[in-house]
Structure formats: structure tokens, C-alpha cells
Amino acid sequence: MASPAPKYFWIFVSFSVSLSVYGFFYFQSHYTIYVDGKVVNFTGDLFQVAADNKLISCGIPKSMSQLTINIMCLLYDEDSFSAESNSLNDTWVTKRECLQENEFRNPTSQLLNDNETVRFAFIRDPIQRFVSLYLDKCIHTKFCFDCDTNMSCFVQRIYDMLKNIQNYRHGFQKSDIMAQHAAPLSWMCNFDRELEKWHLLMMGSDFVERKSSILHLANILKRQGFNESLVEKIQQDTLAGETAHSTHTSSHRVEAERQVREDPFIRDLLHKIYFFDYVVFPFKRDSLDAKYRTNFWSIPE
Ligand SMILES: *[C@@H]1O[C@H](CO)[C@@H](O)[C@H](O)[C@H]1NC(C)=O
Ligand SMILES: *[C@@H]1O[C@H](CO)[C@@H](O)[C@H](O)[C@H]1NC(C)=O
Ligand SMILES: *[C@@H]1O[C@H](CO)[C@@H](O)[C@H](O)[C@H]1NC(C)=O
Ligand SMILES: *[C@@H]1O[C@H](CO)[C@@H](O)[C@H](O)[C@H]1NC(C)=O
Ligand SMILES: *[C@@H]1O[C@H](CO)[C@@H](O)[C@H](O)[C@H]1NC(C)=O
């Protein structure tokens, strides 16, 4: 009789887990991700490159990835960006010239090994990111597996899908869009190998936090030698977009947030899927269940 698969995602990290998460970035960080005892082979590399100014970004789905791509397209080739009438508001439906360019999408090993290369990514609270994914796939469009709008069903399907990734013979399939969107942040951008090299910009839930991340990004861009007036313009347009977004909360969102806060089944799976993200990245853990809030954690049971 086959033994039942362990119900949890379990994880092993090669640094001391008792370190404060906020202090974590001062240490060399390498970690290995195991799911049910097998190493996850997930190469969800989602890079954008502006090689002249030694800048690499990683656009994490549901974490300002469209904005990241747009900013990087503009920085990569400003003339072509204006010629094509691209804007920082563009989404995946707009054709963006830069995305056709191999040089834009794949950093060279020379650039990766250059100690002046700067990397940045926007990161977002994993449960908030899940809510956004749910609203997008199950409410606004109908790519919700066969779950209709049932969040319990959706989270179960995602959990099963991510567990299956360990069994893909040739690693993660880039064409699996849902996996790209649902996978933990800690699986992405080759963070497991070189997290300490990244500037992580928190996509906070309120405007103040987002503003501070945008200002941080503007500073990075100036330091990398981009035209200051261009950077000022990017900063202004981005903040304007944020102001426009920040006022709207739909009733669907309110209901989805209630479910992730109150439904024990959904919470249990979300903790199993995303807990490691809370260990690796400096997210607040106030909204997690008590046993997941401490740094002296053990394998969830
Ligand atoms: C980068 O590497 C060069 C030699 O390869 C070294 O001279 C320089 O100090 C390094 N810069 C930094 C910021 O580490
Ligand atoms: C939602 O899905 C779960 C799991 O698939 C199922 O047990 C539950 O009955 C469904 N709820 C509704 C209201 O359909
Ligand atoms: C992981 O997947 C990639 C292709 O996606 C493959 O080249 C590589 O060999 C795999 N690594 C392991 C350890 O299975
Ligand atoms: C920066 O861009 C502005 C507007 O395109 C231009 O007028 C200015 O000359 C540029 N500055 C530098 C230092 O290239
Ligand atoms: C982008 O969106 C913002 C906020 O919705 C709007 O103010 C701005 O005019 C838009 N820009 C373009 C170029 O469409």
C-alpha cells in the first residue's frame, strides 16, 4: 500500500532559521526548496535587461510585472518606446517591441558576473498576491480551472499543481502561465541562488509604502546613470498611476479578503504554499496563524 504523501510543503534552508528575517539580507543567502521531499526545479526566469546601464529586473506576475516591463522597455530603448507610442500603462495586450529582443529578455553571463550590475524586483505579500490572482482568474476572466468562483476549489487546484511541478521530468514548463502566476516568490528569478544581490521593492498595500518603493527605484535608476529627467518622468507617471489605483476597492475584493482571513481550509493551504516566502522575504506576518509567526519555526504540521 502506498504511503500517503505528506500533506505539507516542507522546506529546508541552508542558513540558520533563527536569524531575524529583516537581518537576513546581510548574509549570503542560498536555499533549497523541497516539496514533499523532492527538490523543486522551477526556472521561472522572468528577466528584463538594460545592459548599457547594467540593470536587470525580474517581473514577478501579480507584483507590478507589467509596470516593471514597461519601465525596462523605456529604459532599454527610449526612441523605439516613443516611436511605438508605448506607455507605462501598457498591459500584455499591447505589442511591446522590446519583448521581441533576446538581448532584453536574457542577461548575458558577462552582465550576470559584473559586480556593478544592479538587480531589482517588486515583491508583494503572498496572500495579497493570491487574492489578486483569484480576482483576475476567477472573477474578471474565467480561467479558474473548473472552479467557477469557488476559492476553496481554486486554492486546492493550485496546491496540487505546484506539488506536481516537482514531478515534471524536464523542470518547469514556461508555457504554464497559471504556475508562473501562482508559484511562491521564492521559486522565481533564481532567488534561490543569489537573493542577496537583489534590491527588493515592497509593493505595499497602501500608497505610502508603494510611494517609497517607487522613490527607491528612481534612486537606483539615477545611480545606474539613466538620464535624470527621464527618471523624474518615470517617477511622476508611476506615482500618478498609483494614485488612480489606490482609491478603488471592489466588493469582490472585500469578499475575497474576508475568505483568506476567515476560511480555515483556505488559510491552511495558503500557509502551506506560501509560508516559505514569509521566511525568505521581509513580509509582515501579522495576518498569519500564530504558529507561523515566530522565527523559531519548525516544519508546519
Ligand atoms: C569590481 O571588481 C573589480 C575587479 O574585477 C574591483 O576592482 C572593484 O573594486 C569591484 N567593485 C566593487 C564595487 O566591488
Ligand atoms: C467549493 O469547492 C470545494 C472543494 O472543491 C467543495 O467542497 C465545496 O462544496 C464547494 N463549495 C461550493 C459552494 O460549491
Ligand atoms: C531542471 O530543468 C531544466 C529545464 O527546464 C533542465 O535543463 C535541468 O537539467 C533540470 N535540472 C534538474 C536537476 O532536474
Ligand atoms: C536628458 O533628457 C532630456 C529630455 O529628453 C534632454 O533634454 C537632456 O539633454 C538629457 N540629458 C542628458 C544628460 O543626456
Ligand atoms: C496612465 O494612467 C494614468 C492613471 O490612470 C493616467 O493619468 C495617464 O494619463 C495614463 N497615461 C497614458 C499615457 O495613457
Side-chain angles (χ1 to χ4, degrees):
M1 202 177 81
S3 64
K7 279 209 278 324
Y8 46 78
F9 274 55
W10 64 279
I11 53 194
F12 165 79
V13 281
S14 58
F15 54 88
S16 163
V17 293
S18 62
L19 297 173
S20 138
V21 174
Y22 288 92
F24 169 71
F25 298 102
Y26 297 104
F27 299 86
Q28 289 291 315
S29 53
H30 290 275
Y31 56 87
T32 308
I33 307 154
Y34 292 88
V35 174
D36 290 346
K38 292 184 189 161
V39 177
V40 175
N41 184 14
F42 184 88
T43 47
D45 30 27
L46 308 154
F47 300 117
Q48 299 81 40
V49 183
D52 293 349
N53 295 69
K54 302 189 180 179
L55 184 66
I56 298 175
S57 63
C58 184
I60 298 171
K62 297 277 145 228
S63 183
M64 314 240 273
S65 58
Q66 294 303 336
L67 180 68
T68 303
I69 291 169
N70 293 334
I71 290 175
M72 291 299 284
C73 270
L74 170 57
L75 296 171
Y76 172 74
D77 187 347
E78 194 183 349
D79 294 339
S80 150
F81 192 86
S82 347
E84 300 284 322
S85 308
N86 285 128
S87 100
L88 296 184
N89 295 342
D90 288 348
T91 64
W92 59 274
V93 292
T94 318
K95 180 165 183 283
R96 285 167 294 188
E97 211 57 54
C98 57
L99 292 176
Q100 318 298 322
E101 308 273 345
N102 187 44
E103 195 193 344
F104 179 72
R105 309 202 59 163
N106 296 300
T108 60
S109 56
Q110 189 192 356
L111 188 64
L112 289 171
N113 292 322
D114 191 321
N115 63 7
E116 289 171 357
T117 297
V118 165
R119 297 160 170 80
F120 79 89
F122 284 100
I123 59 170
R124 179 180 194 183
D125 176 87
I127 293 181
Q128 288 298 318
R129 183 167 157 263
F130 170 81
V131 167
S132 169
L133 178 69
Y134 166 79
L135 293 173
D136 187 19
K137 301 296 178 202
C138 302
I139 304 288
H140 303 316
T141 59
K142 297 292 172 197
F143 294 101
C144 191
F145 303 103
D146 49 7
C147 294
D148 192 14
T149 60
N150 182 334
M151 189 191 281
S152 302
C153 171
F154 184 64
V155 72
Q156 177 77 60
R157 295 293 295 269
I158 284 178
Y159 179 72
D160 293 343
M161 175 188 72
L162 294 174
K163 278 211 306 191
N164 278 337
I165 284 181
Q166 84 211 349
N167 296 326
Y168 286 5
R169 199 169 298 159
H170 301 294
F172 165 73
Q173 313 293 308
K174 276 191 183 161
S175 58
D176 191 341
I177 299 292
M178 186 67 99
Q180 290 235 12
H181 281 66
L185 302 170
S186 44
W187 293 19
M188 299 191 185
C189 311
N190 298 335
F191 284 147
D192 55 337
R193 270 172 266 159
E194 44 182 26
L195 183 59
E196 75 281 0
K197 292 184 179 169
W198 287 82
H199 292 266
L200 300 170
L201 307 175
M202 192 72 78
M203 178 189 170
S205 51
D206 66 23
F207 179 69
V208 175
E209 277 181 329
R210 289 177 184 226
K211 182 172 175 184
S212 106
S213 289
I214 290 164
L215 299 183
H216 186 169
L217 175 58
N219 284 333
I220 291 173
L221 300 183
K222 286 178 190 165
R223 254 187 285 141
Q224 290 309 98
F226 289 102
N227 180 320
E228 297 227 352
S229 50
L230 179 63
V231 175
E232 295 290 340
K233 178 149 174 33
I234 290 173
Q235 182 179 316
Q236 275 169 21
D237 289 359
T238 307
L239 288 174
E242 280 303 310
T243 316
H245 287 152
S246 61
T247 51
H248 182 66
T249 308
S250 71
S251 58
H252 289 302
R253 179 175 288 277
V254 170
E255 171 57 15
E257 286 180 348
R258 186 196 64 74
Q259 285 183 279
V260 301
R261 208 170 45 239
E262 294 177 5
D263 186 304
F265 178 82
I266 292 170
R267 285 184 69 77
D268 181 50
L269 286 183
L270 288 178
H271 281 77
K272 284 169 181 161
I273 298 169
Y274 295 116
F275 173 63
F276 190 40
D277 278 357
Y278 288 91
V279 175
V280 170
F281 301 103
F283 296 118
K284 294 200 186 92
R285 291 195 228 171
D286 319 15
S287 64
L288 299 187
D289 293 346
K291 70 175 172 180
Y292 293 91
R293 281 187 216 147
T294 166
N295 285 330
F296 296 93
W297 52 275
S298 56
I299 293 166
E301 43 189 2

